[in-house]
Amino acid sequence: ETPPAPIRGPNVRSDNCVEHEEGGDDNEAAPMSLADLMPKLDISPQLKSDLIKELGDKNWKIRGESLQKIQEIISQAKFIQPSLGDLPSALKGRLADSNKNLVVTSLNIIG
């Protein structure tokens, strides 16, 4: 009985020479990560311009509510596509907010 083909590590030919990645068999599939298998949702339609404008409002309560809405949108989506529109630049502005609770919420959203 022959052992199963290895799925990790360097490719070894029958004459015990180690092959490099480009010299492998054409039939072998490249290893996929778990993140590649998960479907990614596009949340950009939910990130309306009004929500982004609320992040820059004078009133800290409105800024906090908009951060909570964004946090809820992201937590519901789990895996998101990188197309976020103006959200990253708006969140960058919240990192220098005078209200430290909003800074913490912004950092939690960023990850």
Side-chain angles (χ1 to χ4, degrees):
E1 189 174 317
T2 60
I7 56 173
R8 292 189 178 172
N11 294 330
V12 179
R13 291 186 291 176
S14 60
D15 59 356
N16 292 333
C17 293
V18 176
E19 292 182 352
H20 297 292
E21 289 296 321
E22 66 270 358
D25 292 334
D26 293 336
N27 295 336
E28 291 183 23
M32 293 180 60
S33 68
L34 186 58
D36 293 338
L37 299 175
M38 295 298 201
K40 294 183 173 86
L41 298 175
D42 185 16
I43 63 169
S44 59
Q46 296 173 347
L47 300 173
K48 297 181 169 92
S49 62
D50 295 339
L51 186 61
I52 302 297
K53 286 179 186 175
E54 287 178 1
L55 283 175
D57 196 87
K58 282 185 157 184
N59 190 347
W60 69 269
K61 290 181 182 180
I62 294 175
R63 293 192 311 264
E65 289 173 2
S66 63
L67 284 172
Q68 292 298 325
K69 289 177 190 175
I70 291 170
Q71 198 169 27
E72 183 178 317
I73 291 169
I74 292 174
S75 67
Q76 287 176 355
K78 301 282 184 207
F79 296 99
I80 59 174
Q81 290 182 350
S83 58
L84 298 175
D86 294 333
L87 180 64
S89 60
L91 284 175
K92 180 182 174 187
R94 293 303 97 219
L95 294 177
D97 200 302
S98 59
N99 188 327
K100 297 305 172 193
N101 291 330
L102 299 183
V103 173
V104 171
T105 304
S106 299
L107 286 172
N108 287 334
I109 291 172
I110 293 170

